[in-house]
Amino acid sequence: MQKLGDFKLPQFFNYPPYFTLQPVRETRDKQVQLWKEMILDYCRTQKIYVIGLEEDFPLFTNHVIERSLSHEARQAFLSALVSDGRAEWMDKSHRKCLILWHRVQDWADLILHFVKENGLEDSVMTVEEIRSGIESRGTELHGMDRTVLMRALKLLEHKGKLAIFKGTSADDEGVKFSV
């Protein structure tokens, strides 16, 4: 099995037709599904949150079989993730895509689990401590994209599970949990 770093690539990755958008609807649906799953798995294991359509993204080229996805195919696969709620375009021109390998609600649930597991109920933390503090090491929250984290925190704030308060800078933003 071919690997990309420590990521095991699925078998279809070595099948040249999967690097060309398939014209038959049933085949294309299967192709899109396989690409969506691979992109999400890869981004999750590599902690990648943003894919640039124009940028060199490792999955979009297979040097072994000398195949690359066309711009149209890249856009089709990322747009399919957007349609599923697993990604969002970050700009109007659809050049950068925020990948949600966990949906925002799932990130919110992970934050609550982290808070309870670490006895942080009724405590205060900075946003940066959540993403890069000692407590978050070894969890999926460690190194989390700030945009995704803030969206999950705002969802929890809306549900009354915490309060976000502003400091003098973005690095000073704090969270008071009330779980």
Side-chain angles (χ1 to χ4, degrees), residues 55-71:
E55 295 168 17
D56 233 5
F57 183 65
L59 295 180
F60 292 161
T61 301
N62 183 334
H63 297 287
V64 173
I65 62 170
E66 298 179 354
R67 291 285 191 274
S68 291
L69 290 176
S70 67
H71 183 275

Side-chain angles (χ1 to χ4, degrees), residues 6 26 41-42 46 52 59 63-64 75 77 79 94 97-98 111-112 117-119 126 130 140 152 155 157 160 166:
D6 58 351
E26 188 176 308
D41 286 347
Y42 182 77
Q46 305 303 309
L59 295 180
H63 297 287
V64 173
Q75 189 151 25
F77 300 147
S79 291
H94 293 194
C97 200
L98 179 68
I111 292 167
L112 287 179
E117 196 170 84
N118 289 285
T126 66
I130 296 169
E140 286 190 274
L155 177 64
E157 184 177 44
K166 304 266 184 224

Side-chain angles (χ1 to χ4, degrees), residues 53-54 71 75 79 89-96:
L53 204 56
E54 313 291 332
H71 183 275
Q75 189 151 25
S79 291
W89 292 112
M90 297 175 74
D91 57 349
K92 289 180 181 171
S93 58
H94 293 194
R95 288 205 168 102
K96 283 197 182 288

Side-chain angles (χ1 to χ4, degrees), residues 121-156:
E121 299 95 330
D122 298 318
S123 66
V124 175
M125 293 182 81
T126 66
V127 171
E128 284 307 307
E129 283 177 309
I130 296 169
R131 10 181 345 253
S132 58
I134 294 168
E135 294 90 350
S136 71
R137 283 193 191 141
T139 72
E140 286 190 274
L141 300 179
H142 197 77
M144 184 177 178
D145 180 81
R146 186 175 176 81
T147 303
V148 177
L149 176 58
M150 290 307 297
R151 298 246 329 269
L153 290 173
K154 285 177 181 163
L155 177 64
L156 290 170

